[in-house]
Amino acid sequence: MDIRTKAGELVSINPADGSEVARVAVTTPQELDAIVARAQKAYRETGWKELMPHKRAEVLHAIANGLLAEKETLASLQMRDNGKPISECRGMVDYAVGTFRYYASVCETLETDVTPRRGDYVSFTVLEPYGVVAAITPWNSPIMNDAAKVAPALAAGNAVILKPSEDAPLLAPELVRIAAAAGLPDGLLQVVQGYGADIGAALVAHKGVGMISFTGGTATGRAIGRVAGERIVPVALELGGKSPHVVFADANLEHAVAAVAAGIFGSSGQSCVAGSRLLVEESVYDEVVTRLVERAKRIVVAAPDAKGVEVGPLASFHHRDRVHAFVERARAEGGRVLCGGSAPEGAAYETGAYYLPTVIDGLPHDALSCQEEAFGPVLVVLPFKDEADLVAKANGTDFGLACGIWTENFKKAWRTGRALEAGSVWINTYKQSVTSTPFGGFKDSGIGREKGIDGLRLYAQVKSMYFGLHENPLPIAK
Ligand code: NDP
């Protein structure tokens, strides 16, 4: 989807065919002030944070029901908004439903601590919300990423202001509408629309915002982190990756190659955990690369609602230009493009932002193409000699989001899994994701963990309380 501001509007373009999907109004700075004030008022006056957890959970379940009831419409809207295959879009709505249900359960069951005492008092902790949370999301998986922030932030008792990407603005207002219909008190969930550098930056800097939760690129995350540091407000950052996908010689090569292809070409590679660096043990390098290239050439690139589609268009025409520039730079760095490296040819592709699954090898590990994220269907392949060489290469980037390891030797899998610097390690599988399991990055891939029980604590601050049980007045000196 390509979006360009026209007289204060974002225009959503379907990347499958270039048609206009919808327009949304850009939020002005004055409107932002009013939205933050409304969120603060809702936080203070609706009684949401004082509501018993099981009552808050009821609303979260009602939101889940509302999303499920509109699954087809939402999936279709997301497909047109960012070009993902319809089956993936349906899966993302299901994921969002599951996220609201999961945090309803966590909300109801989360316990705090009665701490060991050393005097005549009872000491314990309670969790308090931050107030107004700014939730900023990227364009690749809108409904899923929005839910990943909104559900736990609401469960913890906050008000939320959601800022979707200018490149995928259509799902966030739907979530707000569904939440309101589900009984969420007025003003607790609102959306701002517009460019990140304008309205996103203004939201982050706004004095009325008490916590920032961001998913997006590392450079943006760094800029937001600087502002949060200056303001002394907590910030959670889910950032980019250049995740290594490792194939040892003793792996089940059929399964490994299938997972490598799924891990980089699924969602057209527009996934933070795409396995975009393939590291193959030298003795099976030629065999793995040959099989992989053969598989990549057979991938069905088609319209996102076409029968049998495996890979749809990229999310926007300008993003396709970026991905192609990445491939051209890899060529200039000495890379051999083994397949892909261009848009597909033919009438069916002419009006869409399609790009062929691309495999590149022959690059040194320190080439920019092996270090930077393409966020597209582009895989770089490198050989490794032994475990030491593998660990050095796999850890040799600034990122640390995820990795995949294929071996039939469980001790080697354990050693390698512990040695690799990554927030998620997949052994003999790839890109599995469940709301109950923490997710986040090492190194430049982020700070904090979303999902899991602690995903709710991310949006709450601990308050320590003491109840005195003294029989006598307190002395001045003990
Ligand atoms: P960006 O960092 O460009 O944008 C992410 C969001 O931040 C968008 O809503 C954007 O708005 C907004 N934004 C941009 N600049 C600012 C600013 N100065 N202040 C506040 N908000 C701002 O990332 P992309 O949208 O291009 O998404 C791709 C990136 O996201 C990749 O690096 C990918 O790896 C990462 N990602 C990480 C995930 C994770 O969980 N770790 C999951 C999914 C993606 P606008 O679009 O309008 O500019």
Side-chain angles (χ1 to χ4, degrees):
M1 140 162 34
D2 230 0
I3 298 215
R4 291 290 172 257
T5 300
K6 291 179 188 165
E9 285 179 322
L10 301 178
V11 184
S12 166
I13 303 293
N14 183 343
D17 60 11
S19 63
E20 180 175 322
V21 183
R23 296 178 176 219
V24 299
V26 168
T27 308
T28 65
Q30 296 73 20
E31 286 167 340
L32 175 65
D33 284 339
I35 286 168
V36 175
R38 189 163 164 240
Q40 286 182 311
K41 190 170 184 311
Y43 172 70
R44 282 194 307 265
E45 296 177 11
T46 56
W48 178 248
K49 68 183 159 85
E50 288 86 19
L51 206 59
M52 288 296 151
H54 67 287
K55 288 290 177 191
R56 241 184 273 150
E58 277 175 17
V59 178
L60 297 177
H61 275 300
I63 296 174
N65 293 343
L67 287 167
L68 196 56
E70 298 195 34
K71 176 172 166 179
E72 271 315 301
T73 318
L74 294 169
S76 164
L77 188 63
Q78 176 165 316
M79 179 189 75
R80 287 175 288 133
D81 202 21
N82 81 346
K84 283 210 170 179
I86 188 70
S87 58
E88 282 187 50
C89 295
R90 288 188 185 115
M92 285 184 187
V93 178
D94 284 338
Y95 201 100
V97 170
T99 302
F100 276 94
R101 292 211 193 292
Y102 177 79
Y103 282 107
S105 305
V106 175
C107 178
E108 235 185 299
T109 56
L110 191 67
E111 294 173 355
T112 51
D113 302 318
V114 176
T115 54
R117 63 201 183 102
R118 300 187 82 166
D120 289 338
Y121 50 76
V122 175
S123 50
F124 57 95
T125 60
V126 292
L127 293 175
E128 301 270 348
Y130 285 108
V132 177
V133 169
I136 302 173
T137 55
W139 44 260
N140 63 330
S141 310
I143 191 70
M144 193 170 98
N145 285 326
D146 295 349
K149 297 189 185 311
V150 170
L154 288 177
N158 299 280
V160 183
I161 299 175
L162 184 55
K163 151 69 181 92
S165 168
E166 79 206 41
D167 282 335
L170 301 184
L171 274 296
E174 297 300 307
L175 180 56
V176 172
R177 176 181 61 73
I178 288 168
L184 185 72
D186 198 40
L188 280 175
L189 178 60
Q190 300 176 81
V191 171
V192 295
Q193 298 277 16
Y195 288 106
D198 301 337
I199 201 71
L203 178 64
V204 165
H206 204 291
K207 278 198 303 213
V209 167
M211 190 267 174
I212 302 155
S213 180
F214 171 78
T215 297
T218 294
T220 315
R222 201 167 263 130
I224 289 174
R226 274 195 290 269
V227 177
E230 191 61 40
R231 294 193 48 222
I232 316 199
V233 296
V235 60
L237 302 172
E238 297 289 346
L239 308 176
K242 188 76 177 177
S243 298
H245 207 152
V246 178
V247 180
F248 282 105
D250 65 0
N252 177 330
L253 295 187
E254 183 195 349
H255 286 201
V257 167
V260 168
I264 181 63
F265 300 128
S267 304
S268 297
Q270 302 165 118
S271 161
C272 53
V273 293
S276 51
R277 273 189 305 151
L278 173 60
L279 295 164
V280 187
E281 193 161 4
E282 274 176 357
S283 60
V284 289
Y285 185 85
D286 288 343
E287 182 181 357
V288 168
V289 173
T290 303
R291 285 199 201 191
L292 182 70
V293 169
E294 188 270 329
R295 176 69 186 99
K297 286 180 175 168
R298 278 193 293 110
I299 286 174
V300 180
V301 179
D305 54 356
K307 196 162 179 282
V309 59
E310 292 180 296
V311 166
L314 293 179
S316 66
F317 293 88
H318 58 261
H319 186 54
R320 181 176 64 175
D321 292 345
R322 278 200 298 252
V323 169
H324 187 58
F326 185 99
V327 172
E328 290 297 291
R329 188 184 62 182
R331 281 194 171 103
E333 287 183 302
R336 287 186 304 167
V337 176
L338 304 177
C339 62
S342 64
E345 288 178 359
Y349 302 115
E350 270 167 16
T351 55
Y354 296 93
Y355 204 79
L356 286 170
T358 300
V359 178
I360 304 173
D361 84 343
L363 286 160
H365 178 249
D366 59 359
L368 291 174
S369 319
C370 297
Q371 295 289 318
E372 295 181 359
E373 191 179 31
F375 218 59
V378 181
L379 179 69
V380 293
V381 194
L382 296 148
F384 68 86
K385 283 191 186 53
D386 50 29
E387 276 181 56
D389 184 34
L390 162 69
V391 171
K393 282 181 174 148
N395 288 344
T397 75
D398 292 336
F399 294 111
L401 193 57
C403 69
I405 300 167
W406 288 85
T407 173
E408 294 292 294
N409 179 329
F410 77 89
K411 289 183 186 166
K412 187 157 58 180
W414 170 258
R415 275 196 306 274
T416 317
R418 293 305 303 267
L420 297 199
E421 295 159 352
S424 294
V425 176
W426 290 298
I427 295 166
N428 293 336
T429 184
Y430 200 77
K431 223 169 155 181
Q432 305 300 330
S433 176
V434 54
T435 314
S436 58
T437 307
F439 179 80
F442 283 27
K443 294 155 69 178
D444 285 5
S445 291
I447 298 174
R449 294 289 177 273
E450 288 191 321
K451 305 184 184 175
I453 292 172
D454 286 340
L456 192 152
R457 292 198 175 98
L458 189 64
Y459 296 96
Q461 46 198 330
V462 175
K463 182 180 277 180
S464 300
M465 299 191 69
Y466 295 75
F467 258 113
L469 304 171
H470 316 288
E471 299 293 347
N472 298 306
L474 285 179
I476 295 217
K478 287 191 184 171

